[in-house]
Amino acid sequence: MDKVLIIDDERQLRGLLARIIGLEGYEVIQAENCAAGLRQLERTRPEVVLCDVKLPDGNGVDLVGRIKAIAPDAEVILLTAYGNIPDGVQAIKNGAFDYITKGDDNPKIIPLLSRAMEKAKAQRKSAAGRQPETAPSFEAVIGSSKAMRDAVELARKVAATDTSVLLTGETGTGKEVFAQAIHREGGRSGKAFVAVNCSAFAKDLLESELFGHRAGAFTGAAKDKKGLFEEADGGTIFLDEIGEMPIDLQAKLLRVLESGEFLKIGETKPRKVDMRVIAATNRDLPEEIRTGNFREDLYYRLSVFQIRLPSLQERPSDIDEYVRHFAGIFAGKMGKKIDAVDPGYLDLLKRHAWRGNVRELRNVVERSMIMAEGTTLRVGDLPIEFQRENGSDGNDAPPTSLDAIEKQHIAKILSYTGGNKTETARLLGIGVTTLYRKIDEYGL
């Protein structure tokens, strides 16, 4: 369970926050001062820390650096009774995720906590980054359309080499799955697969994650940190969302790729590294080059072999395979059995634009599975807004008002998530504040 540590000497407020956050499905740990907070941080390793600025034995702004030294991947949100712009600026410089005022900003806490949790989990995944035991092979790639078969064939050919690969395509087309499959079927399969999302970090933090740093190299660097280049030595590093990398950091990455050497932050002696590089982007990098946002020399270094992954809209014939695959996964989790998929259900899916590609389709199937009553997926099991957007005539939906259907749909998702508002909002594809408004509106 995701963990949140609250450090605040006001017991009543701390307890109130704990109850609110606990209702969202988080595990909450409490501490009354800096010393107790740091002990709990060491013991429980929470993803997010909510910390008061004024504490009996210290200042929350200063504590941010100590928290980051112990748990670099944790995100810190500072709470204060009085807004103070200089304190807020210094808190962000020290590595805080955000700085909010008690009372005035109460409605922001849960949405802000959700964003901080997502970032912390992404950072932990990137830092851990090693290939999981169940890393996919090309056999696990779903889709028998010509567009997908062609992409797999290209990936198989390049996997046998040590060439740099650039994967392009829209968000949600499966670029990380392809990167893992290339690594698994290549000559470095027994070594580390390290993944980092370049859009998940601020510039300075991304540089520290990639290159590592020596103790004392900057404020908060209490001990040596091994960078992801070192972690990937002998294996593969996957640079996701490479188009989001700051331009000055691109120059440093280029030197690593060309020389196989890098400098840890705070060191003067270069280190050698031997790694394969797979990069991915949903951006038009030639256009980014023209606008001055991406280095042309880095582009050519990364795109020695380029594979474009087709969008789901380009291969509607693959939707049936994905639906049955995801339905099988969720049936096991939910204790349900799905024997068939109604043709009308598939027809409606094939009309959709799928801006979120496979990731969006997975979400729609998961929500359909929650709503399904029998052993067949039907049009009426699809999210209400999905039916509206794609022109369902409603013949398969219950004979009741759309508001009543939406209320029933939200109630079922809330039941499925055990009342976790953050997870419910994710499944519904809406913001947490919108969900709270609808809960109030429908009296749920």
Side-chain angles (χ1 to χ4, degrees), residues 185-217:
E185 299 203 5
R188 298 173 181 259
S189 59
K191 302 293 185 179
F193 176 87
V194 177
V196 57
N197 186 324
C198 299
S199 67
F201 299 92
K203 174 193 167 291
D204 291 342
L205 186 55
L206 178 59
E207 184 174 2
S208 175
E209 287 291 316
L210 290 173
F211 293 85
H213 61 252
R214 289 196 63 183

Side-chain angles (χ1 to χ4, degrees), residues 277-326:
V277 178
I278 302 175
T281 184
N282 59 8
R283 291 194 174 218
D284 181 347
L285 291 188
E287 178 60 28
E288 294 296 311
I289 291 168
R290 281 192 288 274
T291 56
N293 294 321
F294 203 82
R295 292 180 63 102
E296 187 172 22
D297 45 7
L298 178 59
Y299 171 71
Y300 288 117
R301 183 66 182 79
L302 291 171
S303 63
V304 175
F305 197 91
Q306 189 170 152
I307 303 173
R308 178 184 170 275
L309 301 190
S311 67
L312 195 55
Q313 195 170 15
E314 295 174 70
R315 49 190 186 101
S317 61
D318 290 338
I319 289 176
D320 192 349
E321 290 181 55
Y322 278 111
V323 169
R324 296 178 194 280
H325 173 71
F326 293 142

Side-chain angles (χ1 to χ4, degrees), residues 53 84 132 151 180 312 316 320 352 372 379 381 388 395-396 404 431 437:
V53 169
N84 183 309
Q180 290 181 338
L312 195 55
D320 192 349
H352 190 60
V379 172
D381 299 325
R388 291 171 179 165
N395 288 336
D396 197 36
R437 179 173 55 78

Side-chain angles (χ1 to χ4, degrees), residues 5-15 17 29-34 37 49-56 79-81 102:
L5 170 61
I6 302 174
I7 307 174
D8 198 314
D9 61 324
E10 295 181 47
R11 186 170 62 179
Q12 188 173 0
L13 177 61
R14 191 174 71 236
L17 278 175
I29 305 104
Q30 300 183 46
E32 69 278 6
N33 55 42
C34 295
V49 179
L50 285 177
C51 183
D52 191 13
V53 169
K54 302 297 183 184
L55 292 164
L79 305 171
T80 181
K102 294 178 183 178

Side-chain angles (χ1 to χ4, degrees), residues 52-77:
D52 191 13
V53 169
K54 302 297 183 184
L55 292 164
D57 56 346
N59 184 287
V61 175
D62 299 329
L63 190 62
V64 174
R66 297 172 68 185
I67 291 170
K68 285 290 188 178
I70 296 170
D73 302 322
E75 289 300 330
V76 184
I77 299 171

